[in-house]
């Protein structure tokens, strides 16, 4: 049996929960440059070396393996000096010592095949902003734990399988954003009814990535100078919600930048109607 080499790896503090804390859902979202994908891949590689796991990397659409994160996983295995430990095939990657496998699936046209999967320990949903409601409704109950050995229910910690969801927000109306961000309390509560950690939702931006490359920093600054809307969307991970030329667009942008967007408690059985007189030369009035 091949002896595994010690691995020295500096991991972002904000994403340390991937390696340390079991949870059914681990949701990483935000703007470009935060390091969500590459650090999730590194965490999956680390787990693949520790025990036998079935790690399935999903996208909504995937015409070929080149459209998956297969290439990123291969690059990280090489960067970490672990080529001798992994057998890299055209459609799957296997750890020679533990037997862990990375496989790659498209959701939309393979959902029947996915429903019949006997075991998934980590479901890694990449570019999840494109995933449909139908795909989510079928996939979520498919990723289920069972007792494979005494007190071993699968997953990276033996506590049950995990679903890692990675995405850059696009629209408030996208299913992934509606379900796990806008309706987090319903679909992604912190704890389940038994008090076990159920979901960890983390927004990750370039400010959380100390390895953010200089060329991308220049690109980010150019975007910010050209369009504050595009900068908020692409680099700060806000959904597209302010149109150029919209009334109060500058005020709304400022509110987003200052973190003044929030939620208010309300009673669904008591509807509220507001009537606006938008003021330009005088004050705005709201009834």
């Amino acid at each position: 049996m091949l002896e595994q080499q010690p691995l020295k790896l500096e991991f972002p503090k904000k994403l340390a929960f991937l390696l340390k804390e079991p949870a059914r859902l681990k949701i990483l979202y935000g703007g470009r440059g935060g390091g969500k994908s590459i650090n999730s891949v590194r965490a999956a590689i680390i787990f693949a070396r520790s025990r036998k796991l079935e790690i399935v990397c999903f996208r909504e659409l995937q015409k070929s393996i080149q459209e998956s994160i297969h290439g990123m996983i291969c690059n990280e295995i090489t960067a970490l000096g672990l080529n001798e430990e992994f057998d890299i095939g055209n459609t799957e990657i296997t750890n020679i010592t533990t037997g862990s496998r990375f496989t790659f699936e498209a959701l939309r046209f393979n959902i029947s095949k996915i429903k019949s999967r006997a075991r998934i320990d980590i479901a890694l949903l990449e570019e999840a902003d494109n995933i449909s409601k139908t795909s989510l409704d079928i996939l979520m109950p498919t990723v289920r734990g069972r007792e494979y050995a005494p007190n071993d229910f699968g997953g990276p910690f033996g506590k049950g399988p995990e679903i890692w969801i990675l995405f850059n927000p696009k629209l408030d109306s996208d299913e992934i954003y509606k379900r796990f961000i806008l309706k987090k309390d319903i679909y992604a509560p912190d704890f389940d009814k038994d008090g076990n950690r159920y979901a960890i939702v983390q927004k990750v931006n370039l400010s959380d990535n100390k390895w953010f490359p200089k060329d991308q920093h220049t690109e980010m600054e150019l975007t910010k100078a050209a369009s504050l809307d595009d900068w908020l969307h692409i680099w700060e991970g806000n959904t597209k919600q302010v149109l150029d030329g919209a009334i109060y667009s500058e005020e709304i942008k400022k509110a987003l930048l200052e973190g003044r967007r929030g939620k208010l408690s309300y009673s669904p059985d008591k509807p509220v109607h507001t009537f606006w007189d938008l003021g330009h030369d005088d004050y705005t009035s709201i009834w």
Side-chain angles (χ1 to χ4, degrees), residues 57-73:
C57 305
F58 291 105
R59 285 191 177 188
E60 178 73 358
L61 296 171
Q62 181 180 293
K63 295 179 181 178
S64 67
I65 199 71
Q66 284 76 26
E67 293 183 356
S68 72
I69 58 171
H70 180 280
M72 181 183 289
I73 295 171

Side-chain angles (χ1 to χ4, degrees), residues 125-248:
L125 281 59
E126 223 249 337
E127 293 192 0
D129 46 285
N130 296 316
I131 295 178
S132 68
K133 181 180 185 301
T134 300
S135 294
L136 281 174
D137 287 345
I138 295 174
L139 176 66
M140 299 299 285
T142 299
V143 183
R144 59 193 181 275
R146 53 176 62 89
E147 195 167 15
Y148 298 101
N151 297 318
D152 183 354
F153 295 89
F157 298 93
K159 303 291 186 180
E162 297 189 353
I163 302 172
W164 299 3
I165 300 174
L166 285 56
F167 69 99
N168 302 114
K170 288 183 180 177
L171 300 172
D172 281 20
S173 57
D174 288 338
E175 181 62 26
I176 205 81
Y177 193 83
K178 284 196 301 183
R179 188 176 295 209
F180 297 119
I181 306 303
L182 298 181
K183 298 181 180 180
K184 179 188 179 304
D185 293 344
I186 299 173
Y187 290 99
D190 293 338
F191 299 93
D192 64 19
K193 62 181 179 62
D194 297 318
N196 300 312
R197 194 64 191 262
Y198 184 78
I200 302 174
V201 180
Q202 187 70 272
K203 189 172 187 180
V204 185
N205 281 331
L206 58 92
S207 57
D208 303 306
N209 181 9
K210 75 175 191 177
W211 300 282
F212 185 63
K214 290 182 179 179
D215 59 338
Q216 277 199 315
H217 191 276
T218 301
E219 182 71 22
M220 181 270 292
E221 291 292 348
L222 290 171
T223 302
K224 187 175 183 180
S227 170
L228 195 57
D229 282 347
D230 289 345
W231 177 75
L232 283 168
H233 172 57
I234 297 169
W235 299 102
E236 289 297 301
N238 291 298
T239 52
K240 288 184 177 179
Q241 54 195 326
V242 180
L243 300 177
D244 288 335
I247 298 174
Y248 298 134

Side-chain angles (χ1 to χ4, degrees), residues 5-204:
Q5 298 299 315
L7 184 62
K8 293 183 179 180
L9 176 64
E10 190 175 0
F11 207 77
K13 184 177 180 180
K14 199 166 186 178
L15 300 181
F17 68 88
L18 287 172
L19 295 169
K20 294 181 177 181
E21 191 169 355
R24 165 73 171 175
L25 299 179
K26 293 179 177 177
I27 300 168
L28 282 66
Y29 76 107
R32 299 290 299 273
K36 297 181 292 298
S37 295
I38 193 168
N39 285 297
S40 296
V41 164
R42 288 173 178 171
I45 290 171
I46 290 169
F47 281 126
R49 302 174 77 231
S50 65
R51 55 181 299 175
K52 186 176 181 179
L53 298 173
E54 288 290 328
I55 303 169
V56 188
C57 305
F58 291 105
R59 285 191 177 188
E60 178 73 358
L61 296 171
Q62 181 180 293
K63 295 179 181 178
S64 67
I65 199 71
Q66 284 76 26
E67 293 183 356
S68 72
I69 58 171
H70 180 280
M72 181 183 289
I73 295 171
C74 294
N75 290 340
E76 285 309 301
I77 288 172
T78 299
L80 296 171
L82 302 176
N83 286 84
E84 292 185 0
E85 294 185 22
F86 287 87
D87 179 15
I88 297 176
N90 292 328
T91 58
E92 63 181 55
I93 299 169
T94 306
N95 184 278
I96 297 169
T97 303
T98 64
S100 290
R101 284 197 315 159
F102 290 86
T103 53
F104 308 86
E105 299 282 2
L107 286 167
R108 183 170 298 182
F109 302 115
N110 294 297
I111 205 69
S112 297
K113 173 185 173 184
I114 291 162
K115 285 172 67 176
S116 64
R117 293 287 299 239
R119 178 171 183 169
I120 298 175
D121 291 291
I122 298 176
L124 201 163
L125 281 59
E126 223 249 337
E127 293 192 0
D129 46 285
N130 296 316
I131 295 178
S132 68
K133 181 180 185 301
T134 300
S135 294
L136 281 174
D137 287 345
I138 295 174
L139 176 66
M140 299 299 285
T142 299
V143 183
R144 59 193 181 275
R146 53 176 62 89
E147 195 167 15
Y148 298 101
N151 297 318
D152 183 354
F153 295 89
F157 298 93
K159 303 291 186 180
E162 297 189 353
I163 302 172
W164 299 3
I165 300 174
L166 285 56
F167 69 99
N168 302 114
K170 288 183 180 177
L171 300 172
D172 281 20
S173 57
D174 288 338
E175 181 62 26
I176 205 81
Y177 193 83
K178 284 196 301 183
R179 188 176 295 209
F180 297 119
I181 306 303
L182 298 181
K183 298 181 180 180
K184 179 188 179 304
D185 293 344
I186 299 173
Y187 290 99
D190 293 338
F191 299 93
D192 64 19
K193 62 181 179 62
D194 297 318
N196 300 312
R197 194 64 191 262
Y198 184 78
I200 302 174
V201 180
Q202 187 70 272
K203 189 172 187 180
V204 185

